[in-house]
């Protein structure tokens, strides 16, 4: 068996095709073609199955990708006649295609280009022209045109295109030196139009025109080039092209002397091309034996990049984005990527990692300069100083450096235009520091890193780095400390990196501490970190500190920016708006917004969503520590009181918009001196409350709020909203804090109101005995202080609670007392609630006709009052009563109305009542539809934490399964319902469920529901 596969020609420089040994051309199609191209781009190297799958399917990768890949490989082998598997082999973790010298057109092209350039260098002009022409003839179109867009393919294609242009310029140079000036003019006209900023091509056109006795046109080409460079890039033509212009202007005869010299060298015996890669600079028209004045500047390629860290982890999407930007098709501008991010997020590590990846593509040098924008103890590098370092890096001697920074910038752009450089400008302070350091011509790549965003850096692609994802952060921790140190400690590692805020610098420092303490475990380290008051201060090594890194960013701020940063650290919530910060700092909104944008540009604040800002966890601790150190206790307390004034007033304004009929029952704090949000209707008010809910609860439970009325005010302001939208557990927290605060301050009225609100939270959570205790305590206080409105409210609530416990007579008694009080006060909204509740009790005692009368009275009065919430409740109750009266069509119509009102109002409690009622009606005719309704209701119960209604939903779902002929699933649901009712001590409801357990048929008794409502 042959050890080498039969010769095949693979053509990638244009549309893909394969020439088999018999001369037959084959063109694979679809996915096999993409697989073949990806393999050939990496010829004689293993390509993983994952890489191939990405090349074929990208983000739309199917679950069967690997299996499909095997089929594509088999098809390619059959197409290539590779029965032995010598050509296309399976090599873990993927596949490898073998190509021999001369089989891959890309390799032939590159070798011919290299050889032609070497022949031109040693003076074999005619031979070089033939070799370069052969290479260029291989180019049939865009390389890898059939490969789906990917970073690797784009980078290789860009590199080949640059090689092609260099070879083209070398071949033109050979033609010029062979005296073919007239024949080149038309070709060079086309090339300069296609590449209007490529100075070397313009130089060659100038020389061709001059050699064709068209001196005036040659000079005009220079003027057009100069005008374009000045207008588009703000730079003058390079020194070499300017010198050529002067020599043409002077009709220098030596410009054409090289033709004769080249011809004589071509005739000399014994000249052979060497193996080194060189080449005359295109456009000079000069031989390599000319004076140093006419030769290009040469210098040893320099690489001053810092080392690439061996444990570099993650950042795959960011790396791909930077590589793709570098591989983008050539334009008239230098490629600039600006990487910004907070201190310690890994900007420099990413830039250096990418620079090492791309180093081979920038053979003229890789230069790294630290601009010291945020270096402790150092001032930012002046542009003139940085330019001097750049010029030295490309071979300009010290005595040739201009003293004037502007002249240095001009020289830098001129020299950089003739080289392909990779430049890393690290730790920049702002765009003004970077701008003079940028090359003016295409071909080079600049990577900039900064702690500040740089929108003023025109033409730069911005990449803002965030902290690591949790899994990546844990992987980095393991890489730094050693994988063996975290075996079996994954949970501890997850907590450690979370405490580090997933910040790479903090993770590296913490992992390094573990690595150098052999007796420690991740659990031991975690315990130490949890014991520390200030993590930023704790996270340090001998030469690195998170706190120090943050301090440098803070020191770079202006005094007013520093003050806002400190005061923002006092905010007790998770995120905040500019209005909240304006309250903390006692500033106008416009000024606050400007300062917030500056802090955001410095990566000291994160914009989580438009207009909503937050801290990184470690920065929050740092800011809070600064506030405690630099602000007095009185200043800090005053700032928080202004913040809570803002929250209390705006929350009251929002509640008045949503629940205007209850406005008289809520506190109304005065409008604060600081700006407040403009609320323009129900949707705006609801969105504000939803957005600020966590901050409002945090404010209401804050120790500062407990010393004044903020805690009790927020409890009273938010009570209806919290109940309406099912935030039961949250309301329990707020109302408990308000009850404790009012007890401490001796505020009797506030305490009774807080107790009433707290009882309501217990009621909604199904904790009825606790609710009764709180209601009775509140009733006693209201009577003592002669607050009749509070008294009748509590009487209503006590009646609703007794109804839930099936203590029907006690419920009726309390409702009767409450109704008399509401009628005496002329409070019709209160009467609606009592009528609804009495109807619900009648329904529970099987007096459905009487129940319907009460619900109709409640509905009519609710519509008179214009209270849509109570109207929806009355409709829901009436619908269920009609269902019990065996009037399903009328009941369904009423319940649909109730559901529409509840849905439009966002009243999830009434939504679930209406859904349950519709499901109960539909069970007889369509149990599957009934099941869907009850499942939807159960999801609402779970979301709002209403365990009483959740128990009823399980009971109903069990009934649905029973009606569908699945007693096993029915039994499971009934058992869950019984367990919940047992926990709630709901004895009568529990008896209903127990009657179902073990039965064969569907019981006729309907599931219990909470039809009563509190006031």
């Amino acid at each position: 068996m042959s050890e080498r596969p039969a010769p095949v020609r693979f053509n990638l420089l244009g549309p893909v095709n394969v020439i088999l040994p018999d001369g037959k051309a084959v063109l694979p199609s679809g996915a096999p073609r993409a697989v073949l191209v990806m393999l050939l781009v990496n010829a004689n190297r293993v390509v993983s199955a994952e890489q191939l799958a990405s090349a074929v399917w990208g983000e739309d990768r199917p679950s069967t990708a690997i299996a499909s890949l095997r089929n594509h490989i088999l098809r390619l082998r059959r197409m290539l006649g590779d029965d032995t598997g010598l050509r296309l082999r399976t090599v873990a973790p993927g596949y490898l295609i073998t190509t021999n010298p001369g089989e891959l057109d890309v390799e032939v092209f590159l070798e011919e280009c290299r050889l032609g350039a070497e022949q031109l260098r040693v003076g074999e002009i005619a031979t070089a022209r033939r070799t370069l022409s052969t290479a260029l003839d291989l180019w049939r179109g865009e390389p890898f045109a059939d490969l789906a867009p990917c970073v690797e393919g784009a980078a290789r294609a860009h590199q080949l295109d640059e090689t092609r242009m260099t070879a083209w310029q070398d071949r033109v140079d050979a033609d010029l030196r062979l005296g073919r000036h007239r024949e080149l003019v038309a070709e060079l006209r086309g090339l300069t139009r296609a590449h209007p900023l490529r100075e070397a091509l313009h130089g060659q056109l100038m020389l061709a025109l001059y050699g064709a006795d068209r001196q005036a046109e040659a000079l005009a080409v220079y003027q057009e080039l100069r005008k374009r460079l000045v207008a588009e890039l703000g730079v003058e033509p390079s020194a070499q092209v300017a010198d050529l212009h002067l020599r043409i202007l002077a009709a220098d005869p030596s410009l054409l002397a090289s033709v004769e010299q080249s011809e004589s060298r071509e005739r000399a015996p014994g000249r052979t091309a060497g193996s080194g890669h060189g080449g005359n600079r295109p456009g000079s028209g000069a031989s390599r034996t000319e004076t140093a004045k006419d030769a290009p500047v040469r210098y040893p390629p320099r690489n001053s990049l810092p080392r690439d860290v061996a444990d570099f982890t993650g950042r795959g999407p960011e790396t791909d984005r930077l590589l793709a930007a570098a591989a983008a098709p050539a334009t008239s501008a230098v490629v600039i990527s600006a990487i910004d991010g907070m201190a310690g997020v890994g900007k420099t590590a990413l830039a250096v990692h990418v620079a090492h990846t791309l180093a081979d593509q920038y053979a003229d040098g890789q230069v790294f300069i630290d601009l010291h924008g945020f270096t402790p103890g150092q001032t930012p590098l002046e542009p003139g100083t940085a330019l001097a370092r750049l010029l030295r890096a490309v071979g300009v001697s010290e005595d040739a450096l201009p003293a004037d920074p502007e002249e240095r910038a001009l020289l830098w752009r001129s020299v950089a235009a003739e080289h392909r450089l990779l430049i890393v400008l690290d730790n920049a302070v702002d765009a003004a520091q970077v701008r003079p350091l940028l090359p003016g011509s295409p071909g080079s790549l600049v990577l900039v890193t900064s702690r500040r965003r740089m929108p003023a850096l025109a033409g730069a692609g911005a990449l803002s780095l965030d902290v690591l994802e949790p899994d990546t952060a844990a992987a980095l921790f393991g890489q730094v400390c050693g994988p063996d140190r975290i075996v079996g400690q994954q949970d501890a590692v997850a907590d450690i990196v979370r405490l580090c805020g997933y910040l790479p610098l903090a993770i590296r420092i913490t992992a390094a501490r573990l690595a150098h303490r052999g007796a420690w475990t991740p659990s031991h380290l975690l315990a130490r970190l949890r014991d520390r008051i200030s993590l930023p201060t704790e996270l340090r090594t001998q030469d690195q500190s998170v706190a120090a890194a943050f301090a440098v960013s803070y020191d770079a701020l202006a005094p007013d920016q520093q003050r806002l940063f400190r005061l923002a650290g006092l905010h007790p919530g998770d995120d905040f708006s500019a209005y909240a910060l304006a309250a903390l700092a006692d500033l106008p909104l416009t000024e606050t917004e400007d300062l917030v944008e500056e802090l955001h540009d410095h990566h000291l604040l994160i914009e989580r969503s438009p207009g909503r800002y937050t801290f990184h966890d470690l920065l929050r601790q740092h800011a809070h520590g600064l506030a405690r150190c630099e602000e007095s206790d009185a200043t800090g307390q005053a700032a928080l009181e202004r913040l809570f004034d803002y929250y209390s007033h705006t929350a009251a304004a929002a509640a008045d918009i949503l629940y205007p009929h209850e406005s008289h029952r809520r506190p109304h704090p005065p409008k604060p001196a600081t700006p407040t949000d403009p609320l323009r209707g129900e949707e705006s008010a609801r969105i504000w409350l939803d957005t600020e809910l966590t901050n409002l609860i945090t404010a209401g439970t804050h120790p500062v709020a407990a010393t004044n009325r903020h805690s009790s005010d927020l409890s009273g302001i938010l009570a209806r909203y919290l109940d309406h939208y099912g935030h039961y557990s949250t309301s329990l927290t707020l109302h408990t804090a308000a009850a404790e605060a009012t007890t401490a301050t001796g505020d009797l009225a506030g305490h009774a109101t807080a107790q009433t609100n707290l009882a309501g939270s217990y009621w909604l959570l199904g904790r009825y005995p606790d609710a009764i205790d709180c209601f009775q305590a509140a009733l006693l206080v209201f009577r003592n202080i002669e607050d009749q409105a509070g008294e009748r409210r509590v009487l209503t609530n006590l009646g609703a609670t007794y109804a839930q416990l099936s203590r029907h007579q006690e419920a009726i008694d309390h409702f009767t007392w409450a109704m008399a009080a509401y009628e005496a006060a002329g409070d019709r909204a209160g009467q609606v609630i009592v009528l609804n509740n009495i109807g619900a009790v009648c329904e529970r005692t099987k007096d459905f006709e009487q129940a319907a009368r009460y619900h109709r009275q409640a509905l009519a009065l609710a519509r008179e009052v214009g209270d849509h919430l109570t109207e929806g409740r009355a409709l829901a109750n009436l619908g269920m009563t009609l269902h019990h009266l065996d009037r399903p069509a009328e009941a369904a119509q009423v319940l649909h109305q109730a559901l529409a009102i509840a849905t439009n109002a966002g009243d999830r409690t009434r939504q679930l009542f209406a859904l349950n009622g519709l499901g109960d009606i539909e069970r007889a005719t369509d149990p599957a539809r009934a099941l869907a309704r009850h499942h939807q209701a159960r999801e609402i119960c779970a979301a709002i934490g209403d365990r009483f209604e959740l128990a009823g939903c399980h009971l109903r779902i069990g009934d649905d399964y029973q009606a569908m002929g699945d007693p096993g699933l029915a039994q499971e649901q009934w058992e869950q319902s019984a367990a919940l009712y047992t926990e709630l001590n709901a004895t009568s409801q529990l008896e209903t469920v127990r009657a179902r357990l073990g039965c064969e048929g569907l019981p006729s008794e309907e599931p219990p529901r909470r039809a009563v409502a509190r006031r």
Side-chain angles (χ1 to χ4, degrees):
M1 182 179 66
S2 172
E3 294 185 0
R4 296 183 64 175
V8 174
R9 182 60 180 260
F10 299 99
N11 296 317
L12 297 181
L13 297 176
V16 178
N17 65 51
V18 180
I19 310 298
L20 298 177
D22 60 1
K24 178 182 177 182
V26 293
L27 289 85
S29 61
R33 180 182 299 196
V35 173
L36 178 61
V37 174
M38 190 65 178
L39 289 168
L40 290 173
V41 168
N42 299 277
N44 300 309
R45 290 183 296 169
V46 176
V47 182
S48 72
E50 292 293 328
Q51 289 175 287
L52 289 171
S54 296
V56 175
W57 293 285
E59 295 182 355
D60 298 325
R61 172 177 169 175
S63 58
T64 58
I66 301 303
S68 298
L69 204 54
R70 296 191 194 101
N71 293 332
H72 298 327
I73 293 294
L74 290 174
R75 289 179 61 188
L76 288 174
R77 283 174 177 157
R78 285 196 295 268
M79 183 196 75
L80 297 172
D82 185 28
D83 297 331
T84 61
L86 291 174
R87 172 74 66 183
L88 182 49
R89 293 184 287 148
T90 301
V91 181
Y95 302 90
L96 177 147
I97 193 166
T98 301
T99 61
N100 298 313
E103 289 188 328
L104 185 58
D105 65 347
V106 173
E107 294 180 350
V108 175
F109 168 77
L110 293 173
E111 176 57 24
E112 292 289 291
C113 290
R114 185 202 65 77
L115 181 60
E118 180 63 17
Q119 290 166 342
L120 189 65
R121 187 186 70 81
V122 299
E124 296 176 2
I125 310 302
T127 304
R129 185 191 184 281
R130 288 191 295 271
T131 302
L132 292 167
S133 296
T134 300
L136 293 170
D137 287 342
L138 293 172
W139 198 276
R140 298 174 295 110
E142 182 182 353
F144 320 134
D146 300 273
L147 185 63
C150 67
V151 172
E152 185 172 5
R156 290 291 303 277
H158 179 66
Q159 184 179 15
L160 285 170
D161 191 59
E162 282 296 313
T163 303
R164 177 194 179 217
M165 287 307 303
T166 300
W168 206 333
Q169 291 171 197
D170 284 348
R171 200 228 71 211
V172 169
D173 196 30
D175 279 334
L176 288 170
R177 293 165 69 176
L178 291 170
R180 297 175 177 173
H181 298 78
R182 296 181 190 280
E183 298 93 322
L184 286 171
V185 170
E187 180 182 7
L188 285 167
R189 289 278 193 199
L191 285 171
T192 53
R193 279 195 294 271
H195 304 278
L197 297 178
R198 205 165 188 121
E199 294 185 59
L201 290 174
H202 288 79
Q204 289 179 322
L205 176 58
M206 290 163 60
L207 192 57
L209 288 166
Y210 178 73
D213 297 323
R214 296 158 69 174
Q215 181 185 24
E217 292 179 65
L219 296 172
V221 170
Y222 176 82
Q223 293 302 329
E224 291 173 6
L225 172 65
R226 181 180 181 277
K227 186 185 300 182
R228 183 178 293 110
L229 290 174
V230 170
E232 295 186 23
L233 303 178
V235 299
E236 294 286 338
S238 65
Q240 289 83 353
V241 176
D243 180 66
L244 177 62
H245 168 249
L246 293 176
R247 293 172 70 186
I248 292 175
L249 189 64
D252 186 348
S254 65
L255 286 174
L256 302 178
S258 61
V259 174
E260 297 177 359
Q261 296 170 8
S262 297
E263 290 175 342
S264 64
R265 281 195 299 272
E266 185 73 4
R267 291 191 295 270
R271 305 285 297 187
T272 58
S275 60
H277 180 72
N280 194 16
R281 190 183 63 79
S284 69
S287 72
R288 287 294 164 189
T289 60
E290 289 185 293
T291 63
K293 175 180 178 293
D294 297 322
V297 176
R298 292 290 173 187
Y299 66 96
R302 171 176 173 174
N303 185 332
S304 61
L305 296 175
R307 67 179 181 87
D308 191 6
V309 293
D311 50 24
F312 185 87
T313 305
R315 300 300 189 197
E318 294 89 347
T319 301
D320 289 346
R321 180 173 166 184
L322 292 171
L323 293 175
T331 64
S332 59
V334 66
V335 177
I336 309 166
S337 290
I339 307 168
D340 57 71
M342 67 179 290
V345 81
K347 303 177 294 295
T348 301
L350 175 62
V352 170
H353 178 71
V354 170
H356 279 285
T357 303
L358 294 171
D360 291 344
Q361 299 180 32
Y362 296 87
D364 291 337
Q366 305 88 38
V367 183
F368 179 94
I369 292 185
D370 185 348
L371 298 177
H372 297 302
F374 300 90
T375 303
Q378 296 198 41
T379 57
L381 213 61
E382 292 293 332
T385 305
L387 284 165
R389 295 185 182 181
L390 287 170
L391 287 166
R392 293 189 198 102
V394 295
V396 176
S397 61
E398 193 72 31
D399 56 2
L401 289 175
D404 182 66
E406 291 188 6
E407 291 183 7
R408 287 183 181 180
L410 288 172
L411 178 60
W412 163 242
R413 288 195 291 269
S414 176
V415 173
E418 299 302 315
H419 300 98
R420 185 169 168 80
L421 301 168
L422 193 160
I423 305 159
V424 180
L425 302 176
D426 186 51
N427 198 11
V429 68
D430 54 26
Q433 184 189 33
V434 171
R435 208 174 286 116
L437 313 182
L438 301 175
S441 302
S444 292
L445 170 66
V446 181
L447 300 175
V448 184
T449 74
S450 178
R451 295 188 188 182
R452 294 189 65 181
R453 291 176 172 84
M454 290 188 283
L457 195 60
L463 174 62
S464 293
L465 280 193
D466 200 352
V467 295
L468 298 175
E469 292 295 324
D471 290 347
T472 306
L476 174 60
F477 185 91
Q479 287 286 337
V480 174
C481 72
D484 58 309
R485 298 294 302 278
I486 63 173
V487 175
Q489 294 275 319
Q490 283 73 19
D491 290 345
V493 171
D495 285 342
I496 290 171
V497 297
R498 180 183 54 78
L499 287 174
C500 291
Y502 308 113
L503 186 69
L505 174 62
I507 293 167
R508 286 186 174 279
I509 290 173
T510 307
R513 293 181 67 187
L514 180 64
H516 289 86
R517 289 166 173 81
W520 285 16
T521 65
S523 297
H524 176 78
L525 175 61
L526 175 61
R528 289 179 59 89
L529 294 176
R530 283 175 170 163
D531 288 342
R532 296 304 183 264
I533 296 175
S534 174
L535 275 177
T537 305
E538 173 71 11
L539 298 173
R540 67 184 186 276
T541 61
Q542 289 183 340
D543 61 348
Q544 287 184 312
S545 165
V546 171
F550 291 167
V552 173
S553 294
Y554 175 77
D555 291 342
L557 300 175
D560 54 349
Q561 296 167 355
Q562 291 180 337
R563 176 175 178 267
L564 186 64
F565 177 74
R566 293 194 303 269
L567 292 177
L570 295 176
H571 192 286
D574 184 42
D575 67 349
F576 36 78
S577 66
Y579 286 97
L581 294 185
L584 276 167
D586 197 13
L587 291 173
L589 181 64
T590 302
E591 184 178 347
T592 304
E593 288 175 334
D594 290 342
L595 292 173
V596 168
E597 283 302 308
E598 287 294 329
L599 294 178
H600 178 251
D601 285 346
H602 280 81
H603 285 281
L604 293 172
L605 287 179
I606 301 167
E607 189 170 19
R608 178 173 289 173
S609 60
R612 303 295 302 179
Y613 298 89
T614 189
F615 283 108
H616 181 274
D617 289 346
L618 296 179
L619 270 173
R620 186 190 307 278
Q621 293 186 41
H622 188 71
H624 188 76
L626 287 170
R628 296 189 60 171
C629 291
E630 300 187 28
E631 305 289 348
S632 68
D633 290 344
T635 299
Q637 175 144 339
L640 286 172
E641 288 180 357
R642 288 193 300 271
L643 177 67
F644 299 158
D645 285 344
Y646 155 72
Y647 279 137
S648 298
H649 172 81
T650 313
D656 283 348
I657 292 172
L658 292 176
Y659 315 106
H661 300 292
E662 300 175 2
S663 177
H664 63 283
R665 289 171 42 197
R666 279 188 294 273
H668 288 86
K671 183 177 175 61
T674 55
T676 57
D677 306 63
L679 303 177
R680 299 183 178 88
E682 289 189 7
E683 183 178 5
S684 176
R686 185 164 53 248
I687 289 173
W688 189 89
L689 288 169
D690 289 345
T691 302
E692 298 290 359
L693 176 59
T694 301
N695 289 330
L696 293 170
I697 301 304
T698 305
T701 56
H702 194 279
V704 169
T707 61
N708 47 49
R709 290 197 55 85
H710 289 122
S711 185
S712 61
D713 280 354
L714 284 168
S715 171
I717 290 166
L718 295 173
R720 174 58 65 198
Y721 162 79
L722 294 172
D723 290 358
H724 184 183
Y725 288 99
H727 301 295
Y728 302 155
S729 297
T730 300
S731 68
L732 189 67
T733 301
L734 176 62
H735 301 324
T736 299
E740 292 172 352
T742 50
T743 298
T745 59
D747 179 2
L748 293 178
H751 182 68
T753 300
Q755 286 281 13
T756 303
N757 292 331
L758 178 58
S761 296
Y762 284 134
W763 191 90
L764 289 166
L765 289 168
R767 296 169 59 177
Y768 301 118
D770 292 328
I772 289 174
D773 289 343
C774 289
F775 280 138
Q776 288 177 339
L779 182 61
L780 181 62
V781 175
F782 281 133
R783 284 173 172 168
N784 288 337
I785 63 175
E786 299 183 349
D787 185 338
Q788 294 177 354
E791 181 180 350
R792 56 182 178 261
R793 179 186 174 196
V794 173
L795 286 171
T796 304
N797 292 333
L798 276 168
T801 310
Y802 288 129
Q804 288 304 108
L805 294 173
S806 299
R807 293 160 65 174
H808 299 133
Q809 188 56 52
E810 289 173 275
I812 292 293
D813 290 344
H814 282 80
F815 288 145
T816 302
W817 298 331
M819 177 61 81
Y822 284 127
E823 289 174 345
D827 187 344
R828 295 196 298 167
Q831 294 172 46
V832 173
I833 293 177
V834 174
L835 288 169
N836 252 327
N837 287 342
I838 294 175
V841 175
C842 291
E843 185 181 336
R844 290 188 176 184
T845 57
K846 310 299 182 184
D847 190 352
F848 297 120
E849 292 290 353
Q850 185 72 357
R853 283 192 287 272
Y854 278 116
H855 292 322
R856 290 189 191 279
Q857 291 180 49
L859 179 60
L861 189 54
R863 285 172 174 168
E864 286 180 25
V865 173
D867 187 344
H868 295 300
L869 288 177
T870 50
E871 178 187 356
R873 293 168 186 162
L875 283 167
N877 288 338
L878 178 59
M880 290 305 300
T881 301
L882 292 171
H883 172 49
H884 288 304
L885 290 170
D886 199 21
R887 293 153 67 178
E890 189 178 352
Q893 181 181 6
V894 170
L895 286 168
H896 277 297
Q897 293 179 45
L899 181 60
I901 291 175
T903 302
N904 290 335
D907 187 341
R908 293 191 289 178
T909 301
R910 304 308 148 192
Q911 279 180 271
L912 76 89
F913 287 171
L915 287 167
N916 277 335
L918 286 169
D920 291 347
I921 293 170
E922 292 163 345
R923 184 184 299 116
T925 56
D926 190 350
R929 184 174 181 81
L931 180 66
R933 299 271 196 200
H934 293 142
H935 272 300
Q936 189 177 352
R938 185 182 65 178
E939 290 174 3
I940 294 175
C941 291
I944 66 178
D946 190 333
R947 295 194 301 155
F948 183 90
E949 289 300 329
L950 182 61
C953 286
H954 281 298
L955 180 53
R956 286 178 165 87
I957 292 171
D959 291 350
D960 296 335
Y961 281 128
Q962 185 78 358
M964 295 169 67
D966 194 334
L969 289 177
Q971 193 85 359
E972 291 178 11
Q973 295 293 324
W974 291 334
E975 288 173 354
Q976 292 184 54
S977 177
L980 282 169
Y981 281 136
T982 300
E983 291 177 19
L984 296 171
N985 197 28
T987 54
S988 64
Q989 291 84 358
L990 185 58
E991 290 174 4
T992 301
V993 184
R994 286 174 176 166
R996 282 162 166 72
L997 289 170
C999 69
E1000 295 298 330
L1002 181 65
S1004 59
E1005 185 179 353
E1006 288 292 341
R1009 65 190 182 93
R1010 184 191 282 151
V1012 290
R1014 293 182 302 110
R1015 172 64 169 145

